[in-house]
Amino acid sequence: GEARFRALFETMTEGVALHRLVLDERGEPADYVLTDANPAYEAHTGIRKEDAVGRLASNLYGADGAPYLDVFGRVAITGEPARMEAYFEPLGRHFRILVFSPARGEFATVFEDVTAAREMEAALGASHAALVARNEELDAYAHTVAHDLKNPVSAILGFAEHLEQGAETLPESERRESLEGITRSARKMQTIIDALLLIGETRRSDVAMAPLDLGPLAVECLAGLAHEVKRLRAEVLLPGSWPAVAGYAPWVEQVLTNYVSNALKYGGRPPRVELGATVLDDRRVRVWVRDNGRGLSPEERAKTFAPFTRLWREDADGHGLGLSIVRRLVERMGGEVAVESGGTGGTGCTFSFTPPRG
């Protein structure tokens, strides 16, 4: 029987270790000593049998005290076996452990390394969570896009029908107004479609970071918004000079355009928009756009960059995709987005992002 047991002990793929409990002066479990181990013990723990036998567990495993002393001590004293699964920090491994007591004050552990299985489960769990999040995002995304495209399409249809019904009899001013309305609505659709394409691009492409001059980019961005600036009689302030940054130019311009167009839309009447940049440290610059609008409450600030939310004023002609895209673009370039606001009337907002220094 002894020889058969020894043969099994030696050939098992599970690690097996025999221990003797060490009691303190009150007779409570204080530590344990390893008395024997099979060859698989070393394979699972990376500790050689000859380095382990006779040593106290508290100084063998590099843990704080003797590992799992509460469970092992209970088994050695009561004789009741136990099963457990644990992540053992000092070895960075997950183990499944069966503990039983061959004699009072002694216990044996039969254990196997289940790290690979746990890591696979964790990876599967993470990819499942990512898929669920992506599906929820796509649902919100489809809903937002449908909602945002509906208004300009309805406007184009309305203006076109108005022209169609009275093309000959309409006064020149009404014809011009209808044509301007069609153009304005088509442009709005174009910006929504551009935003959709941009989201696709951020999912697919690796971003090519390069040194950028923010001055010309800011000028380009304002040129695209010149019509709005003029219409709202906005005052736009630019700094005398910009620090050098790195980034992907089309995305940085998109972020600036989005921030400035929001500042015009939600700023005071007339809007006053200020652009600037502050060097944060050796690695990062904070580029910011400040408006003179009503500001945001803490609750609104918390939702600002969430996917597909419009903040307040449903009548504002922005679309819900804007700031969620900005966040994604900035994060893909290794930066962060932020918004600051006093949260009281007229204090305005400062939207910012942090590209790396150029």
Side-chain angles (χ1 to χ4, degrees):
E2 176 67 29
R4 261 210 321 272
F5 171 75
R6 177 54 59 179
L8 178 66
F9 182 75
E10 296 292 334
T11 56
M12 281 176 73
T13 54
E14 290 91 349
V16 182
L18 306 177
H19 312 81
R20 187 182 72 254
L21 203 58
V22 176
L23 304 176
D24 62 17
E25 61 278 5
R26 295 197 316 274
E28 298 290 331
D31 211 331
Y32 52 90
V33 176
L34 192 117
T35 57
D36 199 1
N38 72 343
Y41 171 88
E42 182 181 340
H44 286 305
T45 64
I47 301 168
R48 296 186 329 150
K49 174 182 170 176
E50 46 270 43
D51 295 336
V53 169
R55 282 181 66 185
L56 285 168
S58 56
N59 63 29
L60 172 61
Y61 293 111
D64 187 15
Y68 315 119
L69 180 63
D70 53 342
V71 178
F72 296 166
R74 193 164 60 245
V75 172
I77 288 166
T78 65
E80 286 284 320
R83 283 179 186 277
M84 59 187 282
E85 193 171 302
Y87 176 70
F88 190 50
E89 189 83 47
L91 297 176
R93 320 293 292 160
H94 292 267
F95 291 107
R96 186 181 293 140
I97 309 168
L98 166 65
V99 198
F100 63 93
S101 176
R104 189 171 167 79
E106 294 177 15
F107 68 93
T109 54
V110 181
F111 60 92
E112 59 180 324
D113 182 342
V114 291
T115 308
R118 291 298 154 267
E119 284 175 352
M120 189 176 283
E121 276 175 19
L124 281 170
S127 56
H128 174 71
L131 276 174
V132 168
R134 174 63 50 85
N135 283 341
E136 284 175 0
E137 186 185 41
L138 285 171
D139 283 351
Y141 185 40
H143 179 78
T144 304
V145 174
H147 184 280
D148 285 341
L149 284 173
K150 201 172 176 176
N151 293 343
V153 168
S154 301
I156 286 172
L157 276 172
F159 286 126
E161 282 168 2
H162 187 57
L163 281 173
E164 201 176 41
Q165 281 161 11
E168 290 81 22
T169 56
L170 278 180
E172 178 62 26
S173 61
E174 274 192 45
R175 276 213 298 276
R176 195 177 304 114
E177 194 183 310
S178 293
L179 287 168
E180 278 173 8
I182 288 172
T183 308
R184 193 169 57 246
S185 298
R187 280 212 188 94
K188 196 185 296 183
M189 288 170 71
Q190 203 167 29
T191 61
I192 295 167
I193 290 160
D194 286 346
L196 293 177
L197 293 172
L198 201 60
I199 281 196
E201 195 184 330
T202 63
R203 286 221 171 103
R204 272 194 318 276
S205 58
D206 284 329
V207 38
M209 302 282 280
L212 295 180
D213 188 345
L214 286 168
L217 273 181
V219 169
E220 189 68 31
C221 145
L222 290 171
L225 295 167
H227 176 72
E228 279 299 277
V229 170
K230 189 176 169 188
R231 185 176 72 83
L232 295 165
R233 297 188 179 84
E235 181 187 3
V236 180
L237 305 169
L238 289 169
S241 65
W242 293 90
V245 300
Y248 179 50
W251 289 4
V252 172
E253 190 181 328
Q254 178 77 24
V255 172
L256 276 176
T257 300
N258 206 295
Y259 281 175
V260 174
S261 100
N262 272 345
L264 291 169
K265 198 179 301 166
Y266 300 123
R269 288 296 172 259
R272 183 177 190 275
V273 182
E274 190 180 349
L275 285 75
T278 313
V279 175
L280 292 180
D281 51 41
D282 295 346
R283 297 187 320 279
R284 294 173 313 146
V285 172
R286 182 175 298 286
V287 180
W288 47 267
V289 175
R290 187 174 295 135
D291 66 51
N292 62 337
R294 75 157 176 78
L296 291 170
S297 69
E299 296 75 35
E300 286 170 333
R301 277 206 307 282
K303 284 194 303 192
T304 304
F305 291 100
F308 320 122
T309 55
R310 250 185 222 78
L311 276 172
W312 62 95
R313 292 174 46 187
E314 274 293 328
D315 60 326
D317 60 351
H319 46 84
L321 296 172
L323 290 172
S324 66
I325 297 178
V326 162
R327 178 179 165 185
R328 182 175 283 153
L329 297 181
V330 170
E331 286 174 356
R332 284 291 306 274
M333 292 187 287
E336 293 172 356
V337 290
V339 58
E340 293 154 46
S341 173
T344 52
T347 50
C349 289
T350 303
F351 280 87
S352 62
F353 66 104
T354 56
R357 289 189 70 170

